[in-house]
Amino acid sequence: QLVMNGLVALWKPKGFTSAEFLDQFKRFLFKELRVSSGRKRKRKRIKVGHGGTLDKVVGIGDGCKELKHFLEGSKKYHVTGKLGVATDTYDASGEVTMERPFETVTHDTLTSVLSKFTGTIQQKPPIYSALKCGGKRYSDLARQGHLPDPPLRPVTIHSVECTEFTAPVFQLDVHCSSGTYIRSLIHDIGQALQSAAHVTDLCRTQQSQFTQDSVLKQEHWSLDKIKELLVDRMSKRRATETQTTAPDSEGATVT
């Protein structure tokens, strides 16, 4: 038997949707596990799931149960924004909704405004988001011609720092709570600067214990490497919570 349970961070190249990328990883994993087992008959497939659009933290087997807890932690991002233009999606993929001057914005004025976005703030999510209204995603409603008005909700910005400013482009490092929309943050910063802004590039640099250094790129995919990086948080928690009960035998098993 070969058992794999836990979480692993994968690097998702641009040009793939989350579903396409996960399907590609599943095909690789199932093929390698069949080869590893040395048998040709049909085998039980492992459950595989992912933890969001940006963070390709993938749950394998029992690790899928850990994704919810994993997503609740704080996150760190490196984001590039562009002043002067706002879009309906709050990023470069959307339609331009506003153009405003940005020539008066300096590094100092930007830094001053950033201080207003630290701590617990009220944030309105983008219309184009996976949040739901009446059982339907806001993004689907928007594409159908409806214009939902997402309510404000509290989020926490632990820190936000400008790492580069060459107008109209600026870069920020952001440490924030779960549920924070970086696209909304950049949009709101543009408004606070008496201008407009949208996201041109966004990279999640840390989620829980996973950092960019622990992300596995596709060219390095192998069973040995995946098992080496696999974080079995569930087993560790079980061992901590109970020392007398036999471990749960449920798992993702290929026989």
Side-chain angles (χ1 to χ4, degrees), residues 12-252:
K12 183 178 81 70
K14 293 182 179 180
F16 290 92
T17 66
S18 296
E20 290 170 343
F21 181 73
L22 186 64
D23 186 58
Q24 195 173 68
F25 179 69
K26 283 181 179 179
R27 290 198 301 269
F28 167 83
L29 189 61
F30 298 155
K31 177 182 176 181
E32 292 301 306
L33 285 172
R34 286 197 294 270
V35 171
S36 175
S37 69
R39 300 183 183 183
K40 296 182 179 180
R41 64 182 177 84
K42 186 177 180 180
R43 291 156 188 88
K44 182 180 177 181
R45 288 200 164 188
I46 292 176
K47 185 177 181 181
V48 179
H50 72 80
T53 301
L54 283 172
D55 50 330
K56 283 288 113 358
V57 173
V58 173
I60 302 176
D62 281 350
C64 293
K65 302 175 184 178
E66 291 294 288
L67 287 172
K68 179 180 179 181
H69 303 291
F70 170 81
L71 291 173
E72 292 172 351
S74 64
K75 305 172 177 71
K76 292 184 179 181
Y77 295 91
H78 184 74
V79 57
T80 301
K82 185 176 181 180
L83 294 166
V85 176
T87 71
D88 56 0
T89 59
Y90 295 0
D91 64 17
S93 69
E95 298 291 331
V96 174
T97 58
M98 180 188 300
E99 295 187 52
R100 296 284 300 275
F102 60 85
E103 288 77 13
T104 60
V105 179
T106 65
H107 182 276
D108 289 342
T109 56
L110 173 59
T111 300
S112 177
V113 161
L114 293 182
S115 63
K116 301 177 182 178
F117 290 91
T118 55
T120 299
I121 63 173
Q122 295 294 317
Q123 185 184 74
K124 178 173 286 192
I127 292 177
Y128 287 89
S129 68
L131 295 177
K132 293 183 178 181
C133 176
K136 294 184 178 180
R137 289 188 175 190
Y138 283 120
S139 56
D140 292 337
L141 291 172
R143 293 186 182 99
Q144 293 168 6
H146 304 290
L147 293 176
D149 186 22
L152 291 169
R153 59 182 194 170
V155 298
T156 300
I157 309 296
H158 301 294
S159 65
V160 54
E161 178 184 0
C162 180
T163 59
E164 186 172 330
F165 180 84
T166 306
V169 177
F170 61 96
Q171 296 183 12
L172 306 178
D173 282 337
V174 183
H175 181 199
C176 59
S177 65
S178 175
T180 303
Y181 275 91
I182 302 299
R183 285 180 292 146
S184 290
L185 177 64
I186 297 302
H187 176 84
D188 295 345
I189 288 172
Q191 290 187 325
L193 289 166
Q194 307 287 311
S195 181
H198 67 279
V199 171
T200 60
D201 190 59
L202 180 61
C203 177
R204 182 169 288 171
T205 57
Q206 184 170 347
Q207 168 71 62
S208 188
Q209 72 270 52
F210 293 108
T211 65
Q212 285 183 306
D213 293 336
S214 61
V215 172
L216 183 61
K217 293 189 176 182
Q218 189 168 356
E219 58 264 31
H220 299 138
W221 285 1
S222 71
L223 277 186
D224 288 341
K225 195 64 179 177
I226 292 169
K227 287 187 286 185
E228 175 189 335
L229 295 175
L230 206 62
V231 177
D232 192 351
R233 288 156 50 107
M234 182 171 289
S235 293
K236 292 177 181 178
R237 190 167 69 243
R238 288 184 187 136
T240 300
E241 292 175 348
T242 174
Q243 300 294 328
T244 60
T245 304
D248 189 344
S249 60
E250 180 185 3

